[in-house]
Amino acid sequence: MFTGLSAFPLTPVINDTVNEDLFAALVRRAVAAGVDSIGALGSTGSYAYLSREERRRVATAAVQAAGAVPVIVGIGALRTSDVLRGAEDAQNAGAAGLLLAPVSYQPLTEDEVAGLFEAVSAASSVPICIYDNPTTTRFTFTDEFYARLGALPQVEAVKIPPRPVDEAERRIREVRAALPANVALGVSGDEFAAPALLAGADVWFSVLGGTLPDLALAIARAAQTGDAETSRRLSAQLAPVWELFRQFGSLRVTSAIAAELGLLPRDNLPAPLRPLSEGVQGRVALRLSDLDPA
Amino acid sequence: MFTGLSAFPLTPVINDTVNEDLFAALVRRAVAAGVDSIGALGSTGSYAYLSREERRRVATAAVQAAGAVPVIVGIGALRTSDVLRGAEDAQNAGAAGLLLAPVSYQPLTEDEVAGLFEAVSAASSVPICIYDNPTTTRFTFTDEFYARLGALPQVEAVKIPPRPVDEAERRIREVRAALPANVALGVSGDEFAAPALLAGADVWFSVLGGTLPDLALAIARAAQTGDAETSRRLSAQLAPVWELFRQFGSLRVTSAIAAELGLLPRDNLPAPLRPLSEGVQGRVALRLSDLDPA
């Protein structure tokens, strides 16, 4: 399951209400493109903002819409008991795997994060992916700590944050050397994906893959078959999009792309998050029209 | 209400359950010492970890236990609709004021934070205090942005984060110059309090005040009456405690102090947060026994 392209759809929140039909359509679109797995309720799926009931409904909709394609469900929460409830709900909904970020309000210690993963590992019957996202969790993983968590029974993958693309080869080698052999190496940060897959990463947990699945798949498949030139070229043309990601956050930009494609209304994020301004939305539209869909 | 010493009690969470009796005892203790207000459900009160129902019960218990002393209730949450529900619940419970931090998962823009405060200002009939805590929210306020929010109808105070003590005078002058005249200037970071009050800050939102109210009051009252020497001396003796705050976080250390004083069982924080190790707990005990209670 932790291989190839894992596509992370947005969870449309329209007027403070989760719209499962629009969400299911995003999932079906990614599945039709041929992605290897769906990542429901990732950061791109706004999991942190949703209630238990909303998450349960989204996880169920994802599994139904994905058919035979495995669904990985994000279960992060501030409190361990809420994480455990989320793990149970996700498994009941049919999740094939769980994605767990050490979400924090008070900055967490390593022992506290280890305790959280131990509790979830003991309670879960499906594989868990460590979700390292320092921008949203403010927890800094070391490679040694990946290894410590990777030794837990159900931990079978890690999702590492991006590095500059020219460090991809070294970084993938370093993390691979630290991880137990049974733990898949996943990457995030879409700009980092092509070089990381070419350097041997197992899976790309992709923001773009949830909204532009054909293009993300073309990049991934080229890398997987060793066609470095095609993978790098398709990825490089997205440089103006990566620049927007850096400036406005990948979530807001992806939300704008989905609106531009007519997949969602423009205001589709949970408040206080806001859609991009008209001006920036216009820049997003321009970038999109320039893309070679492969 | 936004004046003098505002004491922030811990919210005891024992075996994942909020204990309102132990909480009410902490509130009564601070009130008996003579604090000017109670800050319920602050960061020290673990608000971010609690459910709506738990927060409602804690706010109600605080108002009952505080009697005539005003209670300020923390209402921060990731989603605007949850913040609005929290504001309503707090007012129904009898809160005299609201404390609002721009809690984030996705880093927030100024316009997003302004939108949040506008929504709460429009919905609230009691004063609101802007809660600036970059360590837990990752949002950086500028003085200009304090002024922008301070112009909203119900915003009547700001709680600023600490600076090094030798910058207190300059910092208080700067913020005061930026704020509308009707907005009270509050400080947090207990080490920063004595010099900040001496420099003219209106209110000390105090972690220590919730657990060592007599000592915090002695520091505050000395500063308020211009007895700089006493205020500075009583504060300076706490240097080893501030050092523990920096190393382990003020929440974990205050939790350990409450356990050391027999006010709470040692394990009183919501998991994944953990009590300090035996060794550090021993250091806390030593520091406590050295203190001059004034």
Side-chain angles (χ1 to χ4, degrees), chain B residues 67-83:
Chain B
V69 174
V71 176
I72 303 160
V73 174
I75 60 166
L78 285 175
R79 189 160 157 187
T80 299
S81 52
D82 288 327
V83 175

Side-chain angles (χ1 to χ4, degrees), chain A residues 57-290:
Chain A
R57 293 209 314 268
V58 169
T60 303
V63 171
Q64 283 177 352
V69 174
V71 176
I72 303 159
V73 174
I75 59 166
L78 285 175
R79 189 159 158 188
T80 299
S81 52
D82 288 328
V83 176
L84 290 172
R85 275 188 280 270
E88 192 187 338
D89 291 345
Q91 290 175 85
N92 287 340
L98 306 175
L99 181 66
L100 177 55
V103 181
S104 75
Y105 179 77
Q106 298 287 345
L108 296 172
T109 67
E110 278 198 352
D111 282 345
E112 288 169 341
V113 173
L116 172 67
F117 276 86
E118 283 158 15
V120 176
S121 169
S124 172
S125 57
V126 300
I128 299 161
C129 176
I130 303 162
Y131 183 7
D132 177 2
N133 186 340
T135 306
T136 57
T137 67
R138 284 154 298 175
F139 181 78
T140 303
F141 282 85
T142 63
D143 293 353
E144 293 68 33
F145 193 57
Y146 289 150
R148 176 175 168 191
L149 297 186
L152 291 170
Q154 295 292 349
V155 175
E156 294 190 14
V158 61
K159 175 179 187 294
I160 69 169
R163 291 283 175 94
V165 292
D166 58 1
E167 295 174 20
E169 242 177 278
R170 182 162 57 84
R171 184 65 191 135
I172 297 302
R173 203 164 48 233
E174 278 171 4
V175 179
R176 184 72 80 188
L179 291 180
N182 68 313
V183 175
L185 201 176
V187 296
S188 57
D190 287 345
E191 182 171 14
F192 185 62
L197 288 172
L198 286 165
D202 297 302
V203 52
W204 171 18
F205 297 105
S206 177
V207 173
L208 212 64
T211 302
L212 295 173
D214 292 311
L215 180 51
L217 261 174
I219 293 170
R221 293 297 180 244
Q224 287 176 299
T225 56
D227 182 355
E229 192 277 330
T230 301
S231 187
R232 289 215 178 89
R233 177 176 51 77
L234 291 173
S235 183
Q237 66 164 336
L238 286 157
V241 176
W242 312 143
E243 181 51 37
L244 291 169
F245 274 25
R246 271 189 292 273
Q247 217 175 332
F248 302 101
S250 66
L251 177 60
R252 292 184 194 84
V253 175
T254 308
S255 151
I257 292 174
E260 208 51 51
L261 296 174
L263 302 170
L264 299 182
R266 199 165 145 229
D267 200 340
N268 59 57
L269 298 174
L273 300 177
R274 291 186 171 192
L276 297 177
S277 68
E278 300 268 349
V280 182
Q281 177 84 25
R283 283 166 59 192
V284 170
L286 266 178
R287 303 301 176 237
L288 273 182
S289 65
D290 282 346

